[in-house]
Amino acid sequence: MTAATADHPAGTSPSFGELLRVFLKIGLLSFGGPAGQIALMHRMIVDERRWVDEKRYLDALNFCMLLPGPEAQQLATFCGWHLHRTAGALAAGILFVLPGALCMLALAWAYAAFGRLPLIEALFYGVKAGVLAIVVEALLRVGRRALKTRTAWVIAGVAFLALFATRVPYPAVVLAAGLAGALANRISPARATAPAPAAPIDWGRAVRRTLRVGLAGIALWAAPVALAALLLGPSHVLVEVAGFFSRLAVVTFGGAYAVLAYMADEAVTRHGWLSAGEMLDGLGLAETTPGPLILVTEFVGFLAGWRNPAPAGPATMGVLAAAMTLWVTFTPSILWIILGAPLVDRIGRVPALSAALAGITAAVVGVILKLSLWFAFHVLFGRVETYGSGPFALDLPVLATVDPVSVALAAVAAWVLFARHWSIAATVGLTAALGLAARLATGGLA
C-alpha cells in the first residue's frame, strides 16, 4: 500500500504500476552521469508529478551524498521507498539500473566479439549534448529553490570552489557544509525556519528493524558469492570478481571516477582481466549509455568472465561474471537506503539537524554545478587537462579542441527544452538523430 503523507496525499499517490512505468522510463533516459540523472528525476518526480516534495527530495539527495555507491541510483531507491516502501525501493532501484545494465551487457559482448563499436558511439554522440541542456535546467531549478539566503550562497560557492579547484573528496565537502549550516543556525537561530517537532523514537523497534533488515540484506548479498565458491572453488574468476567488486562497492565515495585509478590498476595489472586501453573503452561505453557510470564495472566483469571461460564457455561466463558484478555492486546501495530512509524525514524535524541539512542542500548546488561543468567540458571539447599539484587540481578544457557540432547540438537542445518546452525524451531523441546524421555526413563511422 502506498504511504500517504501530508505533502503526498493519497489521492495523488501513484499506483505500483505507475511507479514501475515511470522508473523504467527514467532508467531508459538516465544519461549524463549523476548530474543528468538527478536532473531527470527532479523534473519527472518532483516538478511534473509531485510524487515527492522539493524538501524531501533534497534531504534525500543530501543523505545519499554521504553514502558509498552511486548517489543517483540511491536517490531513485529512496523515492521508490517513499512511495511504496520496500517494494517501491526495490523496483525503483532495480529499474534505474536495469536498462543501462542490459545495454552495457550487449555492448560488452559485441566489444569482446568484434572490437570497437563506432555505430554505437555515433548514436550516443548527440545524446550527451541533449542531456547537457537538461542538466543546466535542473541546476537552475534546484538553485532557485535552495539558495534563498546569503549563507546558502556562500556555502554553495565554497563547495563549488573546493570541488572544482582542489582534490578534496565531496563527502568531506558535504560534511563541512552540514557543520557550517548548523553553526550558522546556532549563531543566528531566529533566521531559521522551525521544523515540525519529531515524534519520539521507539529505539527498541528501530534497532530490531535495523538488525532484521541488515542481516537479511547481508545474507542476500553474500549468497551468490558463497554458492560460486562452493561450486567452483575460491580461486575461480566469479569468486575473484565478486570479492573485488564487493570491496569496491563499500568505498566508492565520489562516484566511478573517484575509484577509477584503483579499479584500473587492480583489474589490469593485478588480475589481467583486460588492458588499459580496453578499460578506457569500457569507460567510454559507460559514459554514453544510460545508467550510473559505475556500470563500467559490468564491462570489466564481463571481459573477466569471457577470458576465463571454464567451465561454460566465453559468452556464458561473461554473462555470469557481469551478473555477479552487478549484484555485489548495487545490492549494498539499495540496502543502505532501505536501512536509512526512515531517518531522512526524522532528521529534517530536529532543529539542529535541519539546519545542517540546509547547509548540505546549499553545498549540493555547488556539487551539481561542478558535475555540470565537468560534463560540459567533456561533451563540448575533445580534450580536458588537469592543472595544479598537491591538493590543488583544476580540470580545464583545451579551447582549441572545441567541437562545434556538439556546441550546435547543445544549443538546439536548449532551444527546444527552454523555449519550446519539449519533453526530455523528445529532446534527447532529436539530438541523438542529429548527432548520428552529423557523424554519417562527416564519415565518422569509418
Side-chain angles (χ1 to χ4, degrees), residues 156-364:
V158 172
F160 167 73
L161 290 175
L163 293 168
F164 187 67
T166 76
R167 301 182 191 275
V168 177
Y170 77 61
V173 172
V174 169
L175 285 171
L179 292 174
L183 180 61
N185 179 65
R186 188 176 182 87
I187 294 171
S188 184
R191 297 181 182 180
T193 301
I201 299 175
D202 185 341
W203 287 107
R205 181 180 180 184
V207 169
R208 288 193 299 272
R209 178 188 181 275
T210 300
L211 289 174
R212 183 176 68 253
V213 175
L215 290 174
I218 292 171
L220 282 171
W221 187 19
V225 185
L227 182 62
L230 181 65
L231 295 178
L232 302 170
S235 61
H236 191 270
V237 67
L238 283 183
V239 182
E240 290 185 344
V241 162
F244 174 61
F245 288 113
S246 292
R247 293 191 299 274
L248 209 64
V250 298
V251 298
T252 50
F253 293 95
Y257 280 95
V259 295
L260 183 60
Y262 168 71
M263 179 171 61
D265 183 61
E266 290 285 306
V268 173
T269 306
R270 180 180 174 190
H271 295 288
W273 291 331
L274 72 173
S275 69
E278 290 170 334
M279 184 76 198
L280 292 174
D281 288 341
L283 183 61
L285 291 176
E287 287 178 326
T288 55
T289 51
L293 292 178
I294 202 68
L295 281 175
V296 66
T297 59
E298 182 188 5
F299 179 85
V300 175
F302 182 92
L303 290 188
W306 180 279
R307 287 163 182 171
N308 294 272
T316 301
M317 289 308 302
V319 171
L320 290 175
M324 181 70 81
T325 300
L326 291 171
W327 179 265
V328 300
T329 298
F330 291 104
T331 298
S333 287
I334 295 175
L335 177 60
W336 309 147
I337 297 301
I338 293 176
L339 282 171
L343 299 175
V344 173
D345 289 338
R346 188 173 299 279
I347 288 172
R349 294 176 183 274
V350 178
L353 294 178
S354 180
L357 279 179
I360 294 175
T361 298
V364 165

Side-chain angles (χ1 to χ4, degrees), residues 2-203:
T2 300
T5 64
D7 52 66
H8 187 72
T12 61
S13 298
S15 68
F16 193 70
E18 289 177 300
L19 182 147
L20 292 177
R21 287 193 295 273
V22 169
F23 277 97
L24 177 59
K25 184 177 181 180
I26 289 172
L28 290 167
L29 295 174
S30 59
F31 295 91
Q37 292 151 5
I38 292 167
L40 175 69
M41 283 189 288
H42 186 274
R43 178 166 178 170
M44 294 183 66
I45 295 174
V46 178
D47 288 331
E48 294 179 355
R49 291 169 177 82
R50 303 190 184 279
W51 288 352
V52 179
D53 69 278
E54 181 81 23
K55 183 180 186 304
R56 182 171 283 111
Y57 185 85
L58 292 176
D59 286 350
L61 177 56
N62 299 337
F63 177 69
C64 295
M65 288 282 186
L66 300 175
L67 300 174
E71 65 270 22
Q73 189 241 0
Q74 291 166 340
L75 182 59
T77 304
F78 173 86
C79 292
W81 183 90
H82 171 66
L83 297 171
H84 279 277
R85 292 302 186 257
T86 300
L90 292 173
I94 292 170
L95 287 174
F96 184 86
V97 173
L98 185 61
L102 293 175
C103 186
M104 179 60 79
L105 181 64
L107 294 176
W109 175 84
Y111 183 93
F114 306 113
R116 301 205 50 176
L117 306 167
L119 179 62
I120 298 299
E121 294 173 1
L123 181 62
F124 290 113
Y125 171 68
V127 167
K128 293 188 287 184
V131 170
L132 180 56
I134 296 166
V135 169
V136 172
E137 180 192 45
L139 175 64
L140 295 174
R141 286 183 176 181
V142 173
R144 280 196 299 267
R145 295 168 184 175
L147 305 181
K148 296 181 178 179
T149 66
R150 182 177 298 177
T151 298
W153 276 96
V154 170
I155 292 175
V158 172
F160 167 73
L161 290 175
L163 293 168
F164 187 67
T166 76
R167 301 182 191 275
V168 177
Y170 77 61
V173 172
V174 169
L175 285 171
L179 292 174
L183 180 61
N185 179 65
R186 188 176 182 87
I187 294 171
S188 184
R191 297 181 182 180
T193 301
I201 299 175
D202 185 341
W203 287 107

Side-chain angles (χ1 to χ4, degrees), residues 368-386:
I368 297 175
L369 176 57
K370 189 267 182 182
L371 290 172
S372 301
L373 284 178
W374 176 90
F375 186 55
F377 291 166
H378 285 79
V379 169
L380 303 180
F381 297 87
R383 194 165 79 248
V384 177
E385 294 186 350
T386 301

